[in-house]
Amino acid sequence: MNLKCLLVAATLACSAGTVLADPPPVTLTPAGAGMFSGAFTQSADGLFIDTFTFLPTTFAGLVSVTLSSLSGPVSFFTASINDQNFSFLPESDGPDFSFAATVTNDVPLTLTVFGAVLGDDGNPAGMGSYHGTINAATVAAVPEPETYALMLAGIAAIGWGSRRKRAVA
């Protein structure tokens, strides 16, 4: 009885398809002052959700991503970078999926891609692969209006104090 259960479990496991491991971290290389870029290739099987992490470990700035199918008819549905979601409409956007996001806090970059490798009947089936590129540019911090107001108040206080000191002397 136990042997029969093991054979059934093994058959189900083999027929379920190949489970692909999480992709390794992608290293972003410097591409100029405050700019980084990287590329990755990932295999996919049927419906897939892949999560990519990037090195250096933290980043703040503008991030742009482009995904394209390499082998098999890979169709992308959505992607997110640090929980900012982007949808894909294949009939209007062409074969590539591109989007850009602003990451405001110095946090680890995480890209999640959801899609499918489509079979001949249009249903998720089979193996395929896709390629992605990522470009990141740090954005100089722009002070808020409150910062300027506080700076002007400080300069005015220093001027008032020095003027008062001269009047007393």
Side-chain angles (χ1 to χ4, degrees), residues 23 30 32 35 48 51 54 79 92-93 119 121 124 148 151 155 157 159 169:
M35 301 191 65
F48 63 87
T51 301
F54 299 92
S92 62
D93 293 340
D121 59 356
Y148 286 118
M151 181 183 69
I155 291 171

Side-chain angles (χ1 to χ4, degrees), residues 69-159:
S69 177
L70 282 179
S71 66
V74 177
S75 181
F76 303 104
F77 302 136
T78 63
S80 67
I81 190 115
N82 287 21
D83 297 325
Q84 295 181 47
N85 296 317
F86 301 91
S87 296
F88 181 59
L89 301 172
E91 58 276 353
S92 62
D93 293 340
D96 292 343
F97 181 15
S98 297
F99 60 93
T102 301
V103 179
T104 56
N105 297 326
D106 202 18
V107 295
L109 286 178
T110 304
L111 170 67
T112 304
V113 179
F114 175 59
V117 180
L118 302 177
D120 293 334
D121 59 356
N123 291 321
M127 295 290 296
S129 63
Y130 63 95
H131 179 74
T133 58
I134 182 167
N135 294 306
T138 57
V139 178
V142 177
E144 297 290 328
E146 294 86 8
T147 304
Y148 286 118
L150 187 59
M151 181 183 69
L152 289 174
I155 291 171
I158 290 171

